[in-house]
Amino acid sequence: GCSGHAFGMGLFATAVNHDGLKVASLEGMVALKLYGAANSTRRMHRDLADVVAMLERAPELDMSGWPLNIEHLTALENCRKHAKS
């Protein structure tokens, strides 16, 4: 499974400083969207479309350090396929 605490720590740890504000990294945003898609059928299509759009801009994005479960990893792989097409 995935730990929400581990996810939150990763999101904060990878945040970048932008004019004094902490902003989620691209990896953090992808992870956040994957979690959102898995936890809300209402948001699923929008969140996965956002992941595809991010992967179109950064196809080599490395998500290996994130606590993603099999559902998240499957969604990520499907998004990578859509981003390449």
Side-chain angles (χ1 to χ4, degrees), residues 8-58:
M9 294 299 289
L11 190 61
F12 184 77
T14 63
V16 293
N17 193 323
H18 182 73
D19 293 332
L21 297 174
K22 286 281 197 172
V23 179
S25 65
L26 185 58
E27 294 88 349
M29 288 302 300
V30 168
L32 184 66
K33 293 290 186 172
L34 291 171
Y35 272 71
N39 293 321
S40 171
T41 54
R42 184 177 57 81
R43 292 177 29 192
M44 181 178 64
H45 295 295
R46 183 180 63 225
D47 283 343
L48 294 178
D50 290 344
V51 171
V52 169
M54 288 183 264
L55 291 171
E56 286 172 347
R57 291 172 181 81

